[in-house]
Amino acid sequence: MNKIISILAVIALLVPTASLGARTTTYDQQADSAYSAENYPLAEKLYLKAAGEQGTSSALFYNLGNTYYRQGNLGKAIVYYERALKLDPSNSDARENLEFVKSKITDKEPDSSSVVGKAVDNIINSFHADAWAWITLCLFAILIGAIAAYLFSEIIIIRKTAFFGGLVVFVLTVCAVAISFAAANRVEADNHAVILPPAAQLSTAPREARSQSEQAFLLHEGTKVEVIDSVSSPGEEGKWLEVRVPTGERAWIKSTDVERI
């Protein structure tokens, strides 16, 4: 299965896509042409220009992820695949390419999620936030219809069907509301970041490590971390971020060494 995903990811990386609901612009077309001609630095520049002038989309971020991967920039590629999935969790091409690129980085992310957690994630990721909002509205409309049928119908079988069916729809509506909020929160959240340099030394304090005891651990390009806090230390240039790695350890890193998703 992993080999199949890798093969599909390689094929997907060969050509950019303008599908998945993205609007095609002149810069998109020029970027696609540059990508096809293997002029990846130019394609990167044009895709970014298209994003700045036309707006972002899951497909555009996916194309940028492919472009950065082709330039050997795995950290940036992961950032943009993650951004593509934030906008559209159902973007299977971005998900496959993300897994493919993650298989090439040094620090492997441990699989610590439970079966229930994975099931919930799969449900949330099956549609983007807007789609879940529409599903919630449709279920609510059905619920109102069931209540109306129960209150105003004089036919016993219809009243019974409306009552028990309404109970089921009520539960589904509550679940859909919760999922809609969770999906929206994932889109708006910016508390995750990706390591960009080939290697980054983390410290036990928000400053450059002054001794070996202040060196926490080393992280490598492409590692995803959770941002906990940020400070500007006196005498230190730029901000420092307190981050948590997938294994649960916490340490401080320069803000310039990561890019938020």
Side-chain angles (χ1 to χ4, degrees):
M1 184 64 181
N2 289 335
K3 289 184 178 179
I4 295 174
I5 292 176
S6 298
I7 293 170
L8 290 174
V10 170
I11 293 172
L13 282 163
L14 292 176
V15 293
T17 178
S19 61
L20 304 171
R23 293 170 292 179
T24 302
T25 68
T26 301
Y27 291 124
D28 286 328
Q29 294 170 343
Q30 293 175 354
D32 291 346
S33 298
Y35 188 97
S36 298
E38 300 183 4
N39 189 345
Y40 303 120
L42 177 59
E44 173 195 345
K45 180 180 177 181
L46 291 169
Y47 281 133
L48 289 172
K49 198 163 187 177
E53 296 198 3
Q54 185 67 24
T56 59
S57 69
S58 182
L60 182 57
F61 283 155
Y62 167 75
N63 287 341
L64 273 165
N66 290 346
T67 302
Y68 283 117
Y69 173 78
R70 285 299 180 179
Q71 296 178 84
N73 194 334
L74 302 188
K76 281 275 194 178
I78 289 175
V79 167
Y80 278 94
Y81 289 141
E82 292 275 10
R83 287 175 178 171
L85 289 169
K86 279 183 72 173
L87 293 182
D88 182 7
S90 64
N91 187 339
S92 58
D93 289 333
R95 191 170 300 281
E96 289 169 2
N97 284 11
L98 175 62
E99 294 305 317
F100 174 74
V101 176
K102 279 185 173 180
S103 69
K104 294 181 171 293
I105 64 176
T106 302
D107 302 325
K108 305 302 180 185
E109 188 173 338
D111 186 6
S112 57
S113 46
S114 63
V115 175
V116 175
K118 287 181 180 178
V120 171
D121 283 340
N122 288 337
I123 292 172
I124 295 173
N125 293 334
S126 57
F127 300 103
H128 54 73
D130 290 342
W132 277 116
W134 279 108
I135 291 171
T136 302
L137 287 174
C138 291
L139 287 171
F140 183 73
I142 295 171
L143 178 61
I144 294 300
I147 293 173
Y150 176 78
L151 292 176
F152 301 111
S153 177
E154 296 181 357
I155 303 174
I156 299 300
I157 188 64
I158 293 179
R159 286 171 58 85
K160 285 184 177 180
T161 302
F163 178 79
F164 291 108
L167 288 177
V168 173
V169 175
F170 173 76
V171 173
L172 292 176
T173 303
V174 171
C175 292
V177 169
I179 293 171
S180 296
F181 277 108
N185 287 337
R186 289 193 180 188
V187 173
E188 296 173 1
D190 66 344
N191 62 329
H192 285 90
V194 174
I195 305 294
L196 296 183
Q201 178 64 56
L202 280 76
S203 305
T204 58
R207 65 189 185 198
E208 293 279 3
R210 298 174 183 175
S211 64
Q212 190 172 359
S213 63
E214 288 190 354
Q215 294 179 358
F217 43 83
L218 202 65
L219 292 180
H220 300 86
E221 180 182 19
T223 304
K224 184 178 177 181
V225 296
E226 181 184 0
V227 179
I228 306 299
D229 196 6
S230 64
V231 298
S232 296
S233 297
E236 293 286 336
E237 186 177 343
K239 282 188 176 182
W240 283 78
L241 304 178
E242 185 182 16
V243 299
R244 177 163 44 219
V245 297
T247 55
E249 299 168 286
R250 295 167 64 162
W252 293 88
I253 188 172
K254 290 180 183 177
S255 61
T256 53
D257 284 343
V258 301
E259 182 166 343
R260 289 181 185 262
I261 297 171

